[in-house]
Amino acid sequence: GTTAEIQDEPRSVAARRFTGNIRFENVSFNYESGHPVLRNVNFEVEPGQRVVLVGPSGSGKSTLASLLLRFHDPVNGRILIDGRDIRDYTLESLRSQISIVMQDSPLFAVSVHDNIAFGTAAASPDEVVLAARMANAHDFIQQMPRQYDTVVGEQGATLSGGQRQRIAIARAAIRKAPITILDEPTTGLDEKNER
């Protein structure tokens, strides 16, 4: 079966800035009928809390993220952010407040600075450096031929998987989104950076 295209409900309102309380109530979901991916999932995440979901590939971890971003809606149950069903929020106001780092976040053939600041129009150079420090990327960026002005993919500025991942994490950090999802973010990172 095909999922109807997700769009704003007639009752949707623009969300205020989230504090970040997330609650899944009896959430069930399947991509095909009769093959549940999630069944009656219940959990709550408090603002400021870090939650790690572990499980084998295909156990539904990425599905939880796609439900939170409303790429799909649950078959049963509901998802609340700050006590309100996420279907009550406009998609734009919901998604703009959730930052996501995928396992293979793309980097663009622009400077390291622009890769980190991507999608954040008003980011200052100081904010870019702060985000890079938070992502443990500042030190290796300092060693690059033109540091933050180095264009990714040019003249020896090819990055390891772990370095690309840390730039992607810095890009998520600079958005200061109240909710950040890291989807398999530690693939390619050594133990120190994984922490």
Side-chain angles (χ1 to χ4, degrees):
T2 56
T3 314
E5 196 58 39
I6 301 287
Q7 42 201 319
D8 288 341
E9 308 278 340
R11 65 174 191 260
S12 296
V13 296
R16 292 198 181 92
R17 180 150 176 96
F18 292 146
T19 60
N21 176 278
I22 299 169
R23 205 159 77 231
F24 276 61
E25 291 183 349
N26 296 315
V27 170
S28 295
F29 180 75
N30 41 274
Y31 293 102
E32 304 160 35
S33 64
H35 297 284
V37 179
L38 302 171
R39 190 184 292 130
N40 293 334
V41 172
N42 288 281
F43 67 89
E44 184 164 7
V45 183
E46 299 290 351
Q49 191 178 19
R50 291 180 189 171
V51 173
V52 179
L53 300 168
V54 290
S57 184
S59 60
K61 300 184 300 293
S62 295
T63 300
L64 290 171
S66 68
L67 289 169
L68 193 63
L69 288 156
R70 281 202 72 207
F71 295 135
H72 307 284
D73 281 334
V75 177
N76 288 310
R78 59 189 193 142
I79 300 165
L80 300 98
I81 296 181
D82 294 352
R84 191 160 182 180
D85 191 319
I86 61 173
R87 288 173 281 215
D88 290 345
Y89 299 126
T90 61
L91 289 171
E92 199 279 328
S93 71
L94 170 73
R95 291 175 181 165
S96 68
Q97 296 197 66
I98 301 175
S99 199
I100 184 156
V101 180
M102 306 302 285
Q103 182 172 339
D104 270 325
S105 295
L107 294 187
F108 308 103
V110 294
S111 70
V112 170
H113 170 283
D114 290 351
N115 266 290
I116 294 173
F118 178 77
T120 317
S124 72
D126 287 349
E127 289 176 300
V128 169
V129 170
L130 184 65
R133 285 184 187 281
M134 283 171 63
N136 215 5
H138 178 72
D139 291 349
F140 80 75
I141 294 168
Q142 292 292 60
Q143 322 252 302
M144 295 174 79
R146 297 180 58 215
Q147 298 172 336
Y148 284 85
D149 293 328
T150 306
V151 174
V152 174
E154 284 188 3
Q155 296 119 20
T158 46
L159 301 171
S160 71
Q163 289 173 330
R164 296 208 339 249
Q165 202 62 348
R166 282 179 277 164
I167 287 177
I169 291 169
R171 181 192 296 160
I174 203 170
R175 288 185 56 198
K176 299 187 182 85
I179 298 169
T180 301
I181 299 170
L182 304 173
D183 191 9
E184 302 281 357
T186 55
T187 307
L189 295 187
D190 59 46
E191 192 182 347
K192 177 168 167 271
N193 285 306
E194 190 170 323
R195 280 203 302 280

